[in-house]
Amino acid sequence: MNFATYSPSMYFMEATYLIASILFILSLKMMSHPDTARRGMFLAEGGMFAAVVGTLIGGHIISWTWIIAGLSLGSIIGAWMAVSVPMTAMPQRTALSHAFGALAAALVGIGEFLVNINELGPVKRGALGFEIILGALTTTGSLIAAGKLQGIVPGRPIQFKGQNIVNLATAAAMAGCFFYFWFNPEASAVFYSMLGIAFLFGVMLVIPIGSADMPVVMSLLNSYAGLAAAATGFVLGNNVLIIAGTLDGFSGFILSVLMCKAMNRSITNVLFGGFGSVIAEETHSAGGVMREISLDDAAMQLAFASRVIFVPGYGLATAQAQHAVRELADMLEERGVTVKYAIHPVAGRMPGHMNVLLAEANVPYSALYEMEQINPEFPSTDVAVVIGANDVVNPDARDNPKSLIAGMPILEVDRARSVIVLKRGQGRGFSGLENPLFFKSCTSMLYGDAKSSLTHLAQAVQHV
């Protein structure tokens, strides 16, 4: 750009973009640790606010009517979602955010095609093609992910014979349309075919993935949405979109790799392996009997323990029991018990799900321990309390080389002197695997709603 032609408003816009970019980078750094994650979110919000203000003041606004309408409608919907969506539904709300962001990128791409396609050079046409493809497939893929998480779409993998071949053929057709459009930008039929195939590919990409792999899928969709935003930035010549989208895209991809490592899976295995359906077919029994414990006996164990570790899982989220576990932990600490929380990286339905829930209950960050930190402490722990977790504490991953989850890192709660598992019933986990932990001699089962069980445990501990 020729800065000599800049007006004061354009200088202001570029200055706010610089500030926004710095805030985005700092927020990403702060969100890498629970102690600073909340401040990181505030910085990200400030960066987005600066970017919006800079665009509105520095951009060439033709009409404010649709902008004001969009800001009003979006603010109302965002405020309603923030107030009404429970923490248990945060994964599906996040998936919807990915869908909306990606759809916005796709719509901008369509607008650029209709208005400015003849003015775009080869580089920007290529960016426009990527924007359309990534935006469209992320939109439908995120909607399917949200449907699986909400239970609207079956959580099990939806598969059919030759599905991978169909997916590859769809991807090839999409790529073919992209290259044809790149060399023939006025081929509107090819452009819209590419758009439609991308929407279809998003559905085909996510439906064969089981719910057990949703944390990785969420990270990948986040990455796709970010890359779509970056491509939009290239098309529009918008620096802050390029920076923010690139940060989002690559951080999401890195997180996906880390999540796969935590599950001992590869990304290709997640995308094409049908993990959920394979596991669901495994019907062998771990053998033995699940030993039920009474509320009073469980309270007695906790009250006279020296060290207790709480292990939260998705059952904690569904029961909205985060405040109840904090109250029980506070009561134990008043009795001199050392209390810690063990956090598995893929516990829940999205990365950091358990951290978010416990933070809502004001559990101190210093009490949260990652898997590598807490595993060496289980042998010296008197009681490990597993709250709605299943697959992340399954010892078969460590002990049974023939298990379909062999090698997946787990929280080694079975090494504690005593284990109390809070479950609604005797069902299996999200992946469908039976858990030998529940049949071990050191394990006792406390059945019922997790929130109710924790509340009654706290009352019982108080009277011990």
Side-chain angles (χ1 to χ4, degrees), residues 374-388:
I374 202 68
N375 270 345
E377 299 193 26
F378 279 114
S380 60
T381 298
D382 296 305
V383 185
V385 183
V386 179
I387 309 169

Side-chain angles (χ1 to χ4, degrees), residues 299-319:
M300 190 75 68
Q301 283 193 37
L302 292 171
F304 290 101
S306 297
R307 298 166 61 88
V308 172
I309 296 178
F310 289 105
V311 182
Y314 188 65
L316 177 93
T318 56

Side-chain angles (χ1 to χ4, degrees), residues 326-341:
R326 170 66 195 273
E327 292 171 5
L328 175 58
D330 288 345
M331 194 168 297
L332 292 174
E333 288 175 338
E334 290 175 2
R335 299 178 65 96
V337 180
T338 300
V339 176
K340 296 181 178 181
Y341 298 80

Side-chain angles (χ1 to χ4, degrees), residues 99-113 128 130-137 139 191 195 199 228-229 232:
F100 295 150
L103 180 60
L107 290 175
V108 169
I110 295 172
E112 284 295 303
F113 173 78
L128 177 62
F130 279 116
E131 175 187 349
I132 289 295
I133 289 173
L134 290 172
L137 71 86
T139 299
F191 176 85
L195 176 66
F199 277 128
T232 304

Side-chain angles (χ1 to χ4, degrees), residues 162-175 201 204 272:
Q163 188 169 43
N164 286 343
I165 296 175
V166 172
N167 284 356
L168 289 173
T170 305
M174 187 169 59
F201 187 67
M204 298 299 293
F272 304 111

Side-chain angles (χ1 to χ4, degrees), residues 219-238:
S219 298
L220 280 173
L221 292 172
N222 177 53
S223 177
Y224 296 158
L227 293 175
T232 304
F234 276 105
V235 174
L236 299 178
N238 188 297

